[in-house]
Amino acid sequence: MSKDKTFYQCQVCGYSTPKWLGRCPDCNTWGSLVEERQTKKISKQSLSQSRLVSLSDISKAEEERKSTGIKEFDRVLGGGIVDGAVVLIGGDPGIGKSTLLLQVLANIVDSSLKRSDHSQIALYVSGEESPEQIKIRAERLSINSSEIVLYSETLIENIINTSQKLHPSIIVIDSIQTVYTEEITSAPGSVSQIRESASKLMQYAKRTATPIFLVGHVTKEGAIAGPRVLEHLVDVVLYFEGDRGHSYRIIRTVKNRFGSTNEIGVFNMTDSGLVEISNPSELFLSERPTDVTGSTVIASIEGTRPLLIEIQALVSPTTFGMPRRTCMGIDFNRLNLLVAILEKRASLQLGNMDIFLNIVGGLKIVEPAADLGIIASLVSSFREVPIDPTTVFFGEVGLTGEVRAVSMAEQRLKEAAKIGFKKAVIPYSNKERLRNDFGLRIDGFRNIEGLVELIKF
Ligand code: TYD
Ligand code: MG
């Protein structure tokens, strides 16, 4: 009798169990466990040769970066492509992953990534589209290079064998969900197939110092399918974000072994492909209404770059028993916390108010430096007093209502001044330490009472 081992694996988080369960005990998803069978032993090769070496004996790793020819994309990669790096690019279908990678390949074949120890070609492995379909896209992008080689294949062993023969200078796998290995019998796209295929590609990348881009689809829940299992494996994880209604696209770094995370690159999807936007603050503020209540602009830092973003709040008496709290772009708990601080420390009666908060442009803000701007927006809408549109805000707010210093204050102010802002409302301790005011009138606050007093007729 064969010793086939059957087990059940959660397709969302990768949890595995010998018995079927209706709900994954790890991530609490219902109905996500799927039967998987493992016939042969999964390879457990390590990525580097095992050896003992003392830290001082290692010569400085040469982490040379090569430009992709697109500055915004270089930025999210941490400065360019590193040899042997495996980069996962996730995003909704149709958002522009294949388009971007084709543009990157076209730039690379006629420029810097060319290496003497690799052949000149770039390999585009597609399991989703036929070469003809890719050709149609390439024509839209005016790309017609003999050095981009298309390869319709989904079996990972063939892909690696071919790569070994061609020795391309870069490889794109579109998408990781379509490739599979013969070593496991479960269906392509399942967690164990994705993990095993990715780890084989990873070994190839490290062994030959070839950079590989993996395209990953996003599931309904918003995670790259088989996500966590891949995220820890690859070197860089990038997410494509964007609104259906807007033509701009944002690429965000979720993980980067060679650079900072939370870095964003902003692009515009045009008729002839993705075009980078080098000054995103102007884009995000372009449709800003003036002289309305509830709208403020904050200076936020995304990765290493300052970005001006509009925050809108709507506070109105509730018509139902339970007041509603809705927010988009910031953490819901953060909003509740700030509302509670306003009630307690500034004696605002928000208990019977519906509160809606929106970060304009579909952006997501994680840093607490947005707090002061959120508070100003809420008070402005609550009191029906517009905020001066030439004022920019930043600062963290603590539970006692104190306004705390945030990092990189000068970069934030500099960006605001560049866009044409005249005033800034910032933490007092940041103001104390400023060496330059960039021509802005700066108000420093120690706590929110002072600020709330100010937003009054
Ligand atoms: P695509 O790269 O195929 O998306 P993904 O690989 O992430 O699924 O992008 C397809 C979308 O982009 C499609 O809706 C058409 C649009 N598009 C343009 O607007 N301009 C272009 O030049 C190209 C090539 C695509
Ligand atoms: Mg695609």
Side-chain angles (χ1 to χ4, degrees), residues 37-258:
R37 197 174 305 145
Q38 186 178 314
T39 31
K40 290 183 198 156
K41 218 171 158 344
I42 290 185
S43 57
K44 285 219 178 74
Q45 270 179 43
S46 76
L47 293 177
S48 51
Q49 299 129 353
S50 27
R51 59 186 173 135
L52 289 173
V53 57
S54 75
L55 193 54
S56 57
D57 289 345
I58 306 172
S59 58
K60 192 174 171 294
E62 286 200 11
E63 191 189 89
E64 209 185 313
R65 289 169 190 278
K66 281 148 189 151
S67 172
T68 59
I70 304 174
K71 280 212 197 71
E72 289 288 294
F73 194 53
D74 285 347
R75 171 203 304 284
V76 290
L77 289 171
I81 300 178
V82 178
D83 285 343
V86 177
V87 180
L88 175 67
I89 301 188
D92 290 332
I95 200 153
K97 303 179 292 295
S98 309
T99 307
L100 177 74
L101 288 175
L102 202 55
Q103 287 180 274
V104 167
L105 290 192
N107 287 340
I108 282 168
V109 289
D110 52 35
S111 72
S112 60
L113 254 192
K114 285 189 174 169
R115 303 215 321 244
S116 48
D117 56 334
H118 283 63
S119 71
Q120 305 296 300
I121 66 164
L123 187 64
Y124 189 106
V125 182
S126 177
E128 291 191 338
E129 293 166 308
S130 66
E132 289 73 23
Q133 282 171 308
I134 298 168
K135 176 72 184 170
I136 294 170
R137 181 180 297 119
E139 271 173 357
R140 280 187 84 171
L141 305 171
S142 323
I143 294 170
N144 190 11
S145 171
S146 57
E147 287 167 336
I148 298 178
V149 177
L150 304 181
Y151 186 30
S152 291
E153 178 58 81
T154 51
L155 182 63
I156 202 78
E157 282 79 7
N158 287 349
I159 295 171
I160 288 177
N161 283 340
T162 309
S163 301
Q164 265 155 357
K165 276 185 224 123
L166 289 176
H167 213 50
S169 52
I170 183 163
I171 302 176
V172 168
I173 308 286
D174 191 358
S175 66
I176 187 69
Q177 272 99 353
T178 56
V179 296
Y180 69 102
T181 163
E182 284 175 328
E183 289 181 8
I184 335 178
T185 52
S186 56
S190 64
V191 169
S192 47
Q193 281 288 4
I194 290 177
R195 175 160 47 194
E196 196 51 21
S197 306
S199 91
K200 282 184 188 299
L201 289 166
M202 188 85 180
Q203 284 162 22
Y204 174 83
K206 300 295 162 197
R207 200 170 62 236
T208 60
T210 312
I212 300 185
F213 285 92
L214 306 176
V215 172
H217 287 296
V218 165
T219 60
K220 285 196 292 293
E221 293 76 29
I224 301 179
R228 292 174 207 162
V229 291
L230 273 194
E231 282 187 4
H232 79 260
L233 196 74
V234 300
D235 299 307
V236 182
V237 179
L238 306 177
Y239 265 96
F240 241 112
E241 298 168 2
D243 257 0
R244 289 258 162 221
H246 290 102
S247 63
Y248 61 81
R249 305 275 182 270
I250 294 166
I251 301 181
R252 183 183 296 275
T253 317
V254 177
K255 164 185 175 177
N256 195 346
R257 284 189 182 143
F258 318 111

